Amino acid sequence: MQFDIITIVGAGLIGGSLGLAAKQRRLARTVRGIGRKQASLERARAVGAIDEGFLEPGPALKGAGLVIFCTPVDRIADQILEYSACYSPGTLLTDAGSTKESIVAAVEGRLPAGIEFVGSHPLAGSEKRGPYFADANLFHGRLAVVTQTPRTDQAALSKTVAFWQAVGSRVKIMVPADHDHALAMTSHLPHLVAAALAGILPPDVFELTATGFRDTTRVAAGDPNLWSAIFAHNTGALLEALRPFSGRLSQFQAALEAGEWSTVESLLTQAKKVRDALGN
Amino acid sequence: MQFDIITIVGAGLIGGSLGLAAKQRRLARTVRGIGRKQASLERARAVGAIDEGFLEPGPALKGAGLVIFCTPVDRIADQILEYSACYSPGTLLTDAGSTKESIVAAVEGRLPAGIEFVGSHPLAGSEKRGPYFADANLFHGRLAVVTQTPRTDQAALSKTVAFWQAVGSRVKIMVPADHDHALAMTSHLPHLVAAALAGILPPDVFELTATGFRDTTRVAAGDPNLWSAIFAHNTGALLEALRPFSGRLSQFQAALEAGEWSTVESLLTQAKKVRDALGN
């Protein structure tokens, strides 16, 4: 048993899955949840993701050894700091946010003595929302990024790494800015592109979509609030990622216009090599 | 039993699936396959997709009531015409090509009397190739487009529609150019975009991809030869589809640069509505 009490802030898909995973793998005696609505907390309890639900941080954080913030990226840093008076000595804080640099920068150096924060991002999720879709194995075999800066406490870092490994993840330690630049390419740009593809589809051709269109645009079903907050946190890197993408589109366009099929084919071949390398 | 003999030209994923479906649903007494390699024909026979394999069209087409061309789009029209001397009177010809206008235009009016061609495109498939991935239920519940022009024979059209319905598909009858314009939006542009996204991914971030990137780029694993031929057949419509897509990217870019988060959110919301309307 790694912790007596783990408290999850925001018991939706990610938070709920962490609760289920922590309980199934016996990482905590009790899993608590903090939410804004009693009904959401009831749902999380009904699916077994949390043992106890709280609307207020005070009683939820008392005695917790680990607190995991699974709220939207634009809420995480504020909440971590707002709850400062409620943490018990030695509490470890982490999060599951899709962006890291601005969260880590906003929190570092602003916590009470003895309270450590280490940023995390489990690369697992779904376009679905809510604890009903929670899955104890969501993190199994997936990568979790854990962030390190010159101010990161080594013992807190080790405990955070051990936690993600305990829920089945592989762990990669990264500098926050490196994480954000990489995720701009692997997640934020694909989301923007999928939204652009879905957004321009005329209603009269909806019935002519098949699995290809549905796969390519699946992430566009994600929550617009969550994703506009992610884009706002990582605007610079996302705009940087757009540049090579637009450049590649222009290469395709020029080759199509000129009827240079060997260029089209070599662009497609190079893309296939990358995609094949990623596996299913 | 709709046909005594069905002959499938190109028994790969699509052709093999049609063979399995035709046999399982008892649409033909015998399913024959025409291929370029004995080994491929053996594989198709091993999985039960065809009963008999042929390298030459003569014996394979003799007595066939239905011939389905499941070869790459740049081969279909040539093959249909090349085999002209081999069809038995009353044979119905169709295909499974992803583009329709240039195939239909190349074939119409050039076949021997009594031989009818009706274009088809089953909106089912995969980035996978070959008869090992063939699936008798590939067409079940999917849409098949069947083309109609002023020269289309009504009896041949009805038989073609009935065939696709018999393998489980819903059928939509379209003018070839309308099909190609719609598919530029729903399939060819998404393929190009997925290839652009996969193609620019730096190797050092491969490990930071998750299901989102993999879904968004899945189709980019498709065969570069097949897809460059599809792009070549539908260049005009594909370039036309690129325009609104590039326009939407520019809207995103401008909103990101200006920090107009309400615009970003409303673009994402509109995309989500479309994607939600499409279902899984």
PDB file of all heavy atoms in Angstrom, chain B residues 223-249:
ATOM      1  N   ASP B 223      -1.795   2.079 -48.757  1.00  0.00           N
ATOM      2  CA  ASP B 223      -0.795   1.865 -49.801  1.00  0.00           C
ATOM      3  C   ASP B 223      -0.547   3.123 -50.647  1.00  0.00           C
ATOM      4  O   ASP B 223      -1.486   3.659 -51.247  1.00  0.00           O
ATOM      5  CB  ASP B 223      -1.278   0.722 -50.691  1.00  0.00           C
ATOM      6  CG  ASP B 223      -0.254   0.362 -51.736  1.00  0.00           C
ATOM      7  OD1 ASP B 223       0.663  -0.406 -51.416  1.00  0.00           O
ATOM      8  OD2 ASP B 223      -0.360   0.888 -52.859  1.00  0.00           O
ATOM      9  N   PRO B 224       0.684   3.630 -50.687  1.00  0.00           N
ATOM     10  CA  PRO B 224       0.986   4.877 -51.424  1.00  0.00           C
ATOM     11  C   PRO B 224       0.659   4.794 -52.915  1.00  0.00           C
ATOM     12  O   PRO B 224       0.239   5.796 -53.506  1.00  0.00           O
ATOM     13  CB  PRO B 224       2.489   5.067 -51.204  1.00  0.00           C
ATOM     14  CG  PRO B 224       2.789   4.332 -49.947  1.00  0.00           C
ATOM     15  CD  PRO B 224       1.876   3.145 -49.967  1.00  0.00           C
ATOM     16  N   ASN B 225       0.835   3.628 -53.534  1.00  0.00           N
ATOM     17  CA  ASN B 225       0.491   3.467 -54.949  1.00  0.00           C
ATOM     18  C   ASN B 225      -0.995   3.636 -55.188  1.00  0.00           C
ATOM     19  O   ASN B 225      -1.421   4.361 -56.085  1.00  0.00           O
ATOM     20  CB  ASN B 225       0.854   2.049 -55.424  1.00  0.00           C
ATOM     21  CG  ASN B 225       2.313   1.925 -55.756  1.00  0.00           C
ATOM     22  OD1 ASN B 225       2.751   2.438 -56.758  1.00  0.00           O
ATOM     23  ND2 ASN B 225       3.060   1.279 -54.881  1.00  0.00           N
ATOM     24  N   LEU B 226      -1.782   2.934 -54.377  1.00  0.00           N
ATOM     25  CA  LEU B 226      -3.237   3.012 -54.526  1.00  0.00           C
ATOM     26  C   LEU B 226      -3.708   4.439 -54.351  1.00  0.00           C
ATOM     27  O   LEU B 226      -4.538   4.933 -55.109  1.00  0.00           O
ATOM     28  CB  LEU B 226      -3.941   2.151 -53.468  1.00  0.00           C
ATOM     29  CG  LEU B 226      -3.721   0.637 -53.514  1.00  0.00           C
ATOM     30  CD1 LEU B 226      -4.551  -0.050 -52.432  1.00  0.00           C
ATOM     31  CD2 LEU B 226      -4.115   0.108 -54.888  1.00  0.00           C
ATOM     32  N   TRP B 227      -3.153   5.110 -53.326  1.00  0.00           N
ATOM     33  CA  TRP B 227      -3.656   6.441 -52.995  1.00  0.00           C
ATOM     34  C   TRP B 227      -3.162   7.511 -53.947  1.00  0.00           C
ATOM     35  O   TRP B 227      -3.879   8.469 -54.236  1.00  0.00           O
ATOM     36  CB  TRP B 227      -3.372   6.782 -51.531  1.00  0.00           C
ATOM     37  CG  TRP B 227      -4.409   6.123 -50.690  1.00  0.00           C
ATOM     38  CD1 TRP B 227      -4.337   4.895 -50.082  1.00  0.00           C
ATOM     39  CD2 TRP B 227      -5.736   6.614 -50.438  1.00  0.00           C
ATOM     40  NE1 TRP B 227      -5.524   4.611 -49.458  1.00  0.00           N
ATOM     41  CE2 TRP B 227      -6.403   5.639 -49.653  1.00  0.00           C
ATOM     42  CE3 TRP B 227      -6.430   7.775 -50.783  1.00  0.00           C
ATOM     43  CZ2 TRP B 227      -7.714   5.800 -49.215  1.00  0.00           C
ATOM     44  CZ3 TRP B 227      -7.739   7.942 -50.344  1.00  0.00           C
ATOM     45  CH2 TRP B 227      -8.366   6.956 -49.575  1.00  0.00           C
ATOM     46  N   SER B 228      -1.960   7.351 -54.474  1.00  0.00           N
ATOM     47  CA  SER B 228      -1.552   8.371 -55.442  1.00  0.00           C
ATOM     48  C   SER B 228      -2.372   8.209 -56.723  1.00  0.00           C
ATOM     49  O   SER B 228      -2.709   9.196 -57.392  1.00  0.00           O
ATOM     50  CB  SER B 228      -0.033   8.373 -55.638  1.00  0.00           C
ATOM     51  OG  SER B 228       0.353   7.705 -56.772  1.00  0.00           O
ATOM     52  N   ALA B 229      -2.787   6.969 -57.052  1.00  0.00           N
ATOM     53  CA  ALA B 229      -3.671   6.763 -58.204  1.00  0.00           C
ATOM     54  C   ALA B 229      -5.056   7.385 -57.950  1.00  0.00           C
ATOM     55  O   ALA B 229      -5.658   7.979 -58.853  1.00  0.00           O
ATOM     56  CB  ALA B 229      -3.810   5.272 -58.501  1.00  0.00           C
ATOM     57  N   ILE B 230      -5.558   7.256 -56.726  1.00  0.00           N
ATOM     58  CA  ILE B 230      -6.854   7.871 -56.384  1.00  0.00           C
ATOM     59  C   ILE B 230      -6.756   9.395 -56.503  1.00  0.00           C
ATOM     60  O   ILE B 230      -7.629  10.052 -57.079  1.00  0.00           O
ATOM     61  CB  ILE B 230      -7.285   7.449 -54.952  1.00  0.00           C
ATOM     62  CG1 ILE B 230      -7.671   5.963 -54.946  1.00  0.00           C
ATOM     63  CG2 ILE B 230      -8.432   8.323 -54.437  1.00  0.00           C
ATOM     64  CD1 ILE B 230      -7.837   5.353 -53.557  1.00  0.00           C
ATOM     65  N   PHE B 231      -5.667   9.966 -55.966  1.00  0.00           N
ATOM     66  CA  PHE B 231      -5.474  11.418 -56.063  1.00  0.00           C
ATOM     67  C   PHE B 231      -5.390  11.853 -57.529  1.00  0.00           C
ATOM     68  O   PHE B 231      -5.903  12.903 -57.906  1.00  0.00           O
ATOM     69  CB  PHE B 231      -4.198  11.861 -55.332  1.00  0.00           C
ATOM     70  CG  PHE B 231      -4.273  11.780 -53.817  1.00  0.00           C
ATOM     71  CD1 PHE B 231      -5.414  11.333 -53.162  1.00  0.00           C
ATOM     72  CD2 PHE B 231      -3.182  12.165 -53.039  1.00  0.00           C
ATOM     73  CE1 PHE B 231      -5.479  11.268 -51.772  1.00  0.00           C
ATOM     74  CE2 PHE B 231      -3.238  12.113 -51.646  1.00  0.00           C
ATOM     75  CZ  PHE B 231      -4.383  11.655 -51.016  1.00  0.00           C
ATOM     76  N   ALA B 232      -4.726  11.024 -58.348  1.00  0.00           N
ATOM     77  CA  ALA B 232      -4.581  11.376 -59.772  1.00  0.00           C
ATOM     78  C   ALA B 232      -5.930  11.342 -60.488  1.00  0.00           C
ATOM     79  O   ALA B 232      -6.178  12.129 -61.399  1.00  0.00           O
ATOM     80  CB  ALA B 232      -3.594  10.418 -60.451  1.00  0.00           C
ATOM     81  N   HIS B 233      -6.814  10.449 -60.063  1.00  0.00           N
ATOM     82  CA  HIS B 233      -8.140  10.346 -60.671  1.00  0.00           C
ATOM     83  C   HIS B 233      -9.065  11.469 -60.242  1.00  0.00           C
ATOM     84  O   HIS B 233     -10.084  11.706 -60.882  1.00  0.00           O
ATOM     85  CB  HIS B 233      -8.789   9.008 -60.255  1.00  0.00           C
ATOM     86  CG  HIS B 233      -8.664   7.957 -61.293  1.00  0.00           C
ATOM     87  ND1 HIS B 233      -9.603   6.994 -61.487  1.00  0.00           N
ATOM     88  CD2 HIS B 233      -7.688   7.714 -62.196  1.00  0.00           C
ATOM     89  CE1 HIS B 233      -9.229   6.195 -62.460  1.00  0.00           C
ATOM     90  NE2 HIS B 233      -8.070   6.608 -62.903  1.00  0.00           N
ATOM     91  N   ASN B 234      -8.772  12.088 -59.123  1.00  0.00           N
ATOM     92  CA  ASN B 234      -9.723  13.043 -58.553  1.00  0.00           C
ATOM     93  C   ASN B 234      -9.036  14.337 -58.153  1.00  0.00           C
ATOM     94  O   ASN B 234      -9.414  14.984 -57.169  1.00  0.00           O
ATOM     95  CB  ASN B 234     -10.427  12.395 -57.351  1.00  0.00           C
ATOM     96  CG  ASN B 234     -11.768  13.044 -57.061  1.00  0.00           C
ATOM     97  OD1 ASN B 234     -12.365  13.684 -57.938  1.00  0.00           O
ATOM     98  ND2 ASN B 234     -12.253  12.911 -55.829  1.00  0.00           N
ATOM     99  N   THR B 235      -8.024  14.733 -58.913  1.00  0.00           N
ATOM    100  CA  THR B 235      -7.193  15.883 -58.553  1.00  0.00           C
ATOM    101  C   THR B 235      -7.998  17.174 -58.400  1.00  0.00           C
ATOM    102  O   THR B 235      -7.818  17.924 -57.437  1.00  0.00           O
ATOM    103  CB  THR B 235      -6.107  16.119 -59.628  1.00  0.00           C
ATOM    104  OG1 THR B 235      -5.483  14.875 -59.910  1.00  0.00           O
ATOM    105  CG2 THR B 235      -5.062  17.098 -59.140  1.00  0.00           C
ATOM    106  N   GLY B 236      -8.893  17.432 -59.367  1.00  0.00           N
ATOM    107  CA  GLY B 236      -9.647  18.683 -59.341  1.00  0.00           C
ATOM    108  C   GLY B 236     -10.477  18.815 -58.074  1.00  0.00           C
ATOM    109  O   GLY B 236     -10.412  19.834 -57.366  1.00  0.00           O
ATOM    110  N   ALA B 237     -11.238  17.774 -57.752  1.00  0.00           N
ATOM    111  CA  ALA B 237     -12.101  17.822 -56.572  1.00  0.00           C
ATOM    112  C   ALA B 237     -11.276  17.859 -55.293  1.00  0.00           C
ATOM    113  O   ALA B 237     -11.650  18.502 -54.309  1.00  0.00           O
ATOM    114  CB  ALA B 237     -13.059  16.635 -56.565  1.00  0.00           C
ATOM    115  N   LEU B 238     -10.133  17.177 -55.308  1.00  0.00           N
ATOM    116  CA  LEU B 238      -9.281  17.175 -54.115  1.00  0.00           C
ATOM    117  C   LEU B 238      -8.699  18.567 -53.870  1.00  0.00           C
ATOM    118  O   LEU B 238      -8.690  19.066 -52.737  1.00  0.00           O
ATOM    119  CB  LEU B 238      -8.173  16.125 -54.277  1.00  0.00           C
ATOM    120  CG  LEU B 238      -7.137  16.022 -53.147  1.00  0.00           C
ATOM    121  CD1 LEU B 238      -7.805  15.814 -51.795  1.00  0.00           C
ATOM    122  CD2 LEU B 238      -6.163  14.884 -53.428  1.00  0.00           C
ATOM    123  N   LEU B 239      -8.227  19.215 -54.930  1.00  0.00           N
ATOM    124  CA  LEU B 239      -7.700  20.581 -54.781  1.00  0.00           C
ATOM    125  C   LEU B 239      -8.808  21.534 -54.331  1.00  0.00           C
ATOM    126  O   LEU B 239      -8.568  22.419 -53.502  1.00  0.00           O
ATOM    127  CB  LEU B 239      -7.070  21.052 -56.095  1.00  0.00           C
ATOM    128  CG  LEU B 239      -5.703  20.440 -56.425  1.00  0.00           C
ATOM    129  CD1 LEU B 239      -5.302  20.729 -57.870  1.00  0.00           C
ATOM    130  CD2 LEU B 239      -4.625  20.940 -55.460  1.00  0.00           C
ATOM    131  N   GLU B 240     -10.024  21.326 -54.847  1.00  0.00           N
ATOM    132  CA  GLU B 240     -11.156  22.149 -54.405  1.00  0.00           C
ATOM    133  C   GLU B 240     -11.458  21.942 -52.922  1.00  0.00           C
ATOM    134  O   GLU B 240     -11.825  22.877 -52.222  1.00  0.00           O
ATOM    135  CB  GLU B 240     -12.418  21.757 -55.185  1.00  0.00           C
ATOM    136  CG  GLU B 240     -12.773  22.676 -56.316  1.00  0.00           C
ATOM    137  CD  GLU B 240     -13.992  22.150 -57.051  1.00  0.00           C
ATOM    138  OE1 GLU B 240     -15.064  22.007 -56.425  1.00  0.00           O
ATOM    139  OE2 GLU B 240     -13.852  21.876 -58.264  1.00  0.00           O
ATOM    140  N   ALA B 241     -11.330  20.696 -52.453  1.00  0.00           N
ATOM    141  CA  ALA B 241     -11.598  20.393 -51.040  1.00  0.00           C
ATOM    142  C   ALA B 241     -10.518  20.973 -50.137  1.00  0.00           C
ATOM    143  O   ALA B 241     -10.771  21.342 -48.989  1.00  0.00           O
ATOM    144  CB  ALA B 241     -11.697  18.882 -50.841  1.00  0.00           C
ATOM    145  N   LEU B 242      -9.303  21.064 -50.667  1.00  0.00           N
ATOM    146  CA  LEU B 242      -8.195  21.630 -49.884  1.00  0.00           C
ATOM    147  C   LEU B 242      -8.446  23.094 -49.531  1.00  0.00           C
ATOM    148  O   LEU B 242      -7.986  23.572 -48.497  1.00  0.00           O
ATOM    149  CB  LEU B 242      -6.886  21.533 -50.677  1.00  0.00           C
ATOM    150  CG  LEU B 242      -5.832  20.549 -50.206  1.00  0.00           C
ATOM    151  CD1 LEU B 242      -4.656  20.546 -51.183  1.00  0.00           C
ATOM    152  CD2 LEU B 242      -5.333  20.861 -48.800  1.00  0.00           C
ATOM    153  N   ARG B 243      -9.162  23.800 -50.395  1.00  0.00           N
ATOM    154  CA  ARG B 243      -9.343  25.246 -50.194  1.00  0.00           C
ATOM    155  C   ARG B 243     -10.081  25.574 -48.884  1.00  0.00           C
ATOM    156  O   ARG B 243      -9.547  26.320 -48.063  1.00  0.00           O
ATOM    157  CB  ARG B 243     -10.034  25.856 -51.411  1.00  0.00           C
ATOM    158  CG  ARG B 243      -9.337  27.127 -51.891  1.00  0.00           C
ATOM    159  CD  ARG B 243      -9.899  27.597 -53.219  1.00  0.00           C
ATOM    160  NE  ARG B 243      -9.624  26.653 -54.293  1.00  0.00           N
ATOM    161  CZ  ARG B 243     -10.446  26.372 -55.303  1.00  0.00           C
ATOM    162  NH1 ARG B 243     -11.624  26.962 -55.395  1.00  0.00           N
ATOM    163  NH2 ARG B 243     -10.089  25.516 -56.233  1.00  0.00           N
ATOM    164  N   PRO B 244     -11.293  25.040 -48.660  1.00  0.00           N
ATOM    165  CA  PRO B 244     -11.949  25.343 -47.379  1.00  0.00           C
ATOM    166  C   PRO B 244     -11.161  24.823 -46.176  1.00  0.00           C
ATOM    167  O   PRO B 244     -11.179  25.436 -45.107  1.00  0.00           O
ATOM    168  CB  PRO B 244     -13.314  24.660 -47.482  1.00  0.00           C
ATOM    169  CG  PRO B 244     -13.186  23.668 -48.589  1.00  0.00           C
ATOM    170  CD  PRO B 244     -12.156  24.227 -49.530  1.00  0.00           C
ATOM    171  N   PHE B 245     -10.431  23.712 -46.377  1.00  0.00           N
ATOM    172  CA  PHE B 245      -9.633  23.189 -45.262  1.00  0.00           C
ATOM    173  C   PHE B 245      -8.523  24.173 -44.893  1.00  0.00           C
ATOM    174  O   PHE B 245      -8.340  24.513 -43.724  1.00  0.00           O
ATOM    175  CB  PHE B 245      -9.052  21.820 -45.622  1.00  0.00           C
ATOM    176  CG  PHE B 245      -8.169  21.260 -44.548  1.00  0.00           C
ATOM    177  CD1 PHE B 245      -8.716  20.799 -43.356  1.00  0.00           C
ATOM    178  CD2 PHE B 245      -6.792  21.211 -44.708  1.00  0.00           C
ATOM    179  CE1 PHE B 245      -7.914  20.300 -42.338  1.00  0.00           C
ATOM    180  CE2 PHE B 245      -5.982  20.721 -43.703  1.00  0.00           C
ATOM    181  CZ  PHE B 245      -6.545  20.257 -42.521  1.00  0.00           C
ATOM    182  N   SER B 246      -7.793  24.652 -45.914  1.00  0.00           N
ATOM    183  CA  SER B 246      -6.735  25.639 -45.643  1.00  0.00           C
ATOM    184  C   SER B 246      -7.334  26.902 -45.043  1.00  0.00           C
ATOM    185  O   SER B 246      -6.737  27.529 -44.159  1.00  0.00           O
ATOM    186  CB  SER B 246      -5.994  25.993 -46.935  1.00  0.00           C
ATOM    187  OG  SER B 246      -5.405  24.840 -47.475  1.00  0.00           O
ATOM    188  N   GLY B 247      -8.512  27.279 -45.514  1.00  0.00           N
ATOM    189  CA  GLY B 247      -9.189  28.451 -44.969  1.00  0.00           C
ATOM    190  C   GLY B 247      -9.506  28.284 -43.487  1.00  0.00           C
ATOM    191  O   GLY B 247      -9.306  29.198 -42.689  1.00  0.00           O
ATOM    192  N   ARG B 248      -9.977  27.080 -43.117  1.00  0.00           N
ATOM    193  CA  ARG B 248     -10.301  26.833 -41.716  1.00  0.00           C
ATOM    194  C   ARG B 248      -9.040  26.827 -40.851  1.00  0.00           C
ATOM    195  O   ARG B 248      -9.026  27.349 -39.739  1.00  0.00           O
ATOM    196  CB  ARG B 248     -11.065  25.505 -41.607  1.00  0.00           C
ATOM    197  CG  ARG B 248     -11.488  25.103 -40.189  1.00  0.00           C
ATOM    198  CD  ARG B 248     -12.316  26.152 -39.493  1.00  0.00           C
ATOM    199  NE  ARG B 248     -13.479  26.595 -40.219  1.00  0.00           N
ATOM    200  CZ  ARG B 248     -14.717  26.119 -40.024  1.00  0.00           C
ATOM    201  NH1 ARG B 248     -14.938  25.194 -39.117  1.00  0.00           N
ATOM    202  NH2 ARG B 248     -15.725  26.597 -40.721  1.00  0.00           N
ATOM    203  N   LEU B 249      -7.939  26.270 -41.397  1.00  0.00           N
ATOM    204  CA  LEU B 249      -6.660  26.319 -40.675  1.00  0.00           C
ATOM    205  C   LEU B 249      -6.236  27.761 -40.417  1.00  0.00           C
ATOM    206  O   LEU B 249      -5.759  28.098 -39.335  1.00  0.00           O
ATOM    207  CB  LEU B 249      -5.553  25.630 -41.483  1.00  0.00           C
ATOM    208  CG  LEU B 249      -5.444  24.116 -41.488  1.00  0.00           C
ATOM    209  CD1 LEU B 249      -4.155  23.712 -42.193  1.00  0.00           C
ATOM    210  CD2 LEU B 249      -5.485  23.534 -40.082  1.00  0.00           C
TER     211      LEU B 249
END
